Amino acid sequence: RIAAITDYELRRELTLRDLHKGISNLNKFAQRKQIIPLCRESLIIATKLWADLRKAAQPTADNKNIDCDVIMVAQALKLQDRYDQIIILTIDIKDLVRFKKFGIEVWDWKQALVDWKYKEVNLYNPLSFK
């Protein structure tokens, strides 16, 4: 399953690049009800998380940026009690690794694709990805 904010980020890039097959595949994925909707409670969590990170001088994005990472993490935190494990696949390991303290696993998406291809699951130390 993917967070609605991830659907947004992926869809905007596919649309910008006119990658219609990718958009079609994303639509098929969404039809299988695999998108985790964005709810108000997640946005409230994201707001506090966003402010706390800035107060600690550890923002994940520029102040003018929508900061999709924080919204995605907030959704994960909101749904944590529904799932045995929350894993975020990302290219942005360095910004998201700080959320491991909340029990969220962060994996490099390229390595996860390789693992999936070979039907392996590895637990990674995100700090080893630079």
Side-chain angles (χ1 to χ4, degrees):
R1 301 190 64 185
I2 65 168
I5 199 73
T6 304
D7 177 272
Y8 162 76
E9 282 193 312
L10 182 55
R11 189 173 301 275
R12 76 179 183 191
E13 288 301 316
L14 293 170
T15 301
L16 179 65
R17 297 175 189 194
D18 292 322
L19 297 173
H20 304 291
K21 182 175 176 161
I23 294 168
S24 176
N25 288 338
L26 189 55
N27 289 338
K28 288 175 189 172
F29 185 80
Q31 287 173 348
R32 294 193 324 249
K33 307 218 184 300
Q34 297 298 311
I35 307 294
I36 302 167
L38 184 58
C39 66
R40 184 173 184 276
E41 292 84 9
S42 294
L43 291 175
I44 291 169
I45 294 168
T47 302
K48 180 161 180 7
L49 198 53
W50 182 89
D52 288 348
L53 287 168
R54 274 153 182 74
K55 288 176 186 176
Q58 297 179 340
T60 58
D62 181 83
N63 284 343
K64 295 179 183 179
N65 189 305
I66 191 171
D67 206 346
C68 293
D69 288 346
V70 169
I71 295 170
M72 180 175 47
V73 168
Q75 275 191 283
L77 291 173
K78 171 83 172 78
L79 298 172
Q80 214 167 19
D81 61 339
R82 291 189 189 179
Y83 300 98
D84 293 334
Q85 185 177 28
I86 302 287
I87 302 169
I88 295 177
L89 299 176
T90 184
I91 61 171
D92 199 6
I93 295 289
K94 67 177 177 51
D95 280 341
L96 293 177
V97 72
R98 70 186 79 186
F99 300 109
K100 282 186 64 90
K101 65 184 175 188
F102 296 116
I104 296 171
E105 290 295 324
V106 180
W107 292 2
D108 178 83
W109 74 274
K110 288 181 182 179
Q111 184 61 53
L113 286 176
V114 170
D115 292 350
W116 179 76
K117 179 179 178 182
Y118 294 104
K119 298 185 179 8
E120 294 180 3
V121 175
N122 293 305
L123 297 177
Y124 304 100
N125 176 1
L127 296 175
S128 67
F129 292 97
K130 300 284 184 208

